[in-house]
Structures are given as structure tokens and as C-alpha cells.
């Protein structure tokens, strides 16, 4: 029995230091939500989950309204927490430390910690909703780390080419990833 996960990386969001949880979407991001809704509305999605971060929820909200579904958020699907103490060049830090899974800035979390917490949620979703089609509102790095858990080809090069938004359809048999298809082509 196949279970399908649609990873929906959030649409474009204005970066504003200190608003990780609450920042919304840009005008382009809001327009792309309509495209996400149109693209996924005929996929037969049964359930929608999301990171609690506003930009992730907003990116699947149109789909939820169209399908008359609720969005259930999971705290452990949030993006990786880098540091509460220092301002960093985020992308430089990600690139420099991507393959050092245990590395974390003071007050921050490592890729390994982020991957472990998010995979625990994803495995629970796969087990409890076997045979269903599930959309997940997510973020670039945490999505990459979840996909990397099942296939090491999803690494830094994959992360670097992601768009905002982006959508990947992942097909599972039990907890084994069988196929990945990119659906976002803009």
C-alpha cells in the first residue's frame, strides 16, 4: 500500500531578522499559493500537515480551503534553529556545515538534531496514515534533511537548487521511499 507525501516548501517570504515564526509571504508568494492550490487540488490529498511557522501554513492554506481540510501543525516540523545569540550569514553557515551533521552554533541546533526530530514526525505520519495522500507545508533545509534520511542524494546540491515555493511528491511503501517526483516547474 503506497503512501504519498507532497512536500510543499513555503512560498517566497520577506526575510526579517527575529520573525522566524511569524513572517508571512511576499506578493509573489501569495500569488504562488494560488498556483500551489491549482497544482495539488486534483491529487486526491486526504490530510494536510505543516510546520507551525506562518509562511509554511500560508503556503498550504489555499489548498486546505479548496479541499475543505484543516491544517494540523507539528512543532517538530519547524525549520532548523541556528542560533539565538548571534547574527550569521545563514546560507554560508548552511553550506560550510552541511556535512558536519553534529555542528551547531551556540544556542542553536545541528542538522542531526533537526533531522531526527522531523523524521520522528514524518515516520509517525507515514505509519498512522498509511495509504493516504498527505501534503506537508515545510521549509527548504528541514525538507532536504527529511528527504536525505531516505536517500543521501538529497544533500547540499539539492538544497541549493530549491525554489520558493517548491513541491516534491514522495511515494512510500511502509517506511521505504520508492519514488520522488518534482511537481513545481516554475
Amino acid at each position: 500500500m503506497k503512501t504519498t507525501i507532497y512536500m510543499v516548501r513555503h512560498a517566497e517570504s520577506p526575510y526579517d531578522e527575529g520573525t522566524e515564526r511569524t513572517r508571512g509571504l511576499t506578493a509573489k508568494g501569495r500569488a504562488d499559493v494560488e498556483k500551489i492550490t491549482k497544482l495539488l487540488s486534483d491529487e486526491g490529498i486526504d490530510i494536510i500537515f505543516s510546520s507551525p511557522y506562518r509562511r509554511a501554513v500560508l503556503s498550504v492554506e489555499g489548498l486546505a480551503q479548496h479541499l475543505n481540510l484543516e491544517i494540523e501543525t507539528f512543532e517538530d516540523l519547524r525549520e532548523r534553529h541556528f542560533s539565538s545569540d548571534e547574527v550569521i550569514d545563514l546560507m554560508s553557515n548552511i553550506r560550510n556545515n552541511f556535512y558536519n551533521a553534529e555542528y551547531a552554533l551556540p544556542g542553536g541546533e545541528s542538522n542531526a538534531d533537526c533531522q531526527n526530530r522531523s523524521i520522528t514526525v514524518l515516520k509517525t505520519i507515514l505509519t498512522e496514515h498509511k495509504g493516504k495522500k498527505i501534503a506537508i507545508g515545510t521549509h527548504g533545509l528541514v525538507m532536504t534533511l527529511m528527504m536525505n534520511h531516505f536517500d543521501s542524494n538529497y544533500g547540499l546540491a539539492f538544497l541549493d537548487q530549491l525554489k520558493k515555493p517548491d513541491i516534491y511528491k514522495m511515494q512510500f511503501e511502509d517506511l521505504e521511499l520508492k519514488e520522488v517526483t518534482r511537481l513545481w516547474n516554475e
Side-chain angles (χ1 to χ4, degrees), residues 39-51:
L39 186 65
L40 295 179
S41 63
D42 293 331
E43 289 288 319
I45 291 171
D46 301 295
I47 305 163
I48 302 176
F49 297 114
S50 181
S51 154

Side-chain angles (χ1 to χ4, degrees), residues 113-178:
D113 290 337
C114 179
Q115 185 179 55
N116 289 335
R117 69 166 159 79
S118 59
I119 282 298
T120 298
V121 173
L122 184 57
K123 285 181 176 180
T124 299
I125 289 169
L126 288 167
T127 302
E128 292 181 359
H129 303 284
K130 191 178 287 193
K132 300 288 185 183
K133 293 183 175 185
I134 303 149
I136 299 178
T138 189
H139 307 270
L141 182 56
V142 73
M143 179 178 95
T144 300
L145 293 172
M146 285 190 282
M147 292 172 76
N148 176 267
H149 173 82
F150 296 101
D151 184 341
S152 63
N153 290 316
Y154 296 98
L156 184 57
F158 174 76
L159 176 64
D160 281 341
Q161 62 82 43
L162 286 176
K163 305 292 183 214
K164 289 181 187 175
D166 220 331
I167 303 172
Y168 284 83
K169 179 180 181 178
M170 303 170 66
Q171 296 200 310
F172 289 86
E173 285 182 16
D174 294 316
L175 296 178
E176 186 179 343
L177 179 62
K178 293 295 191 176

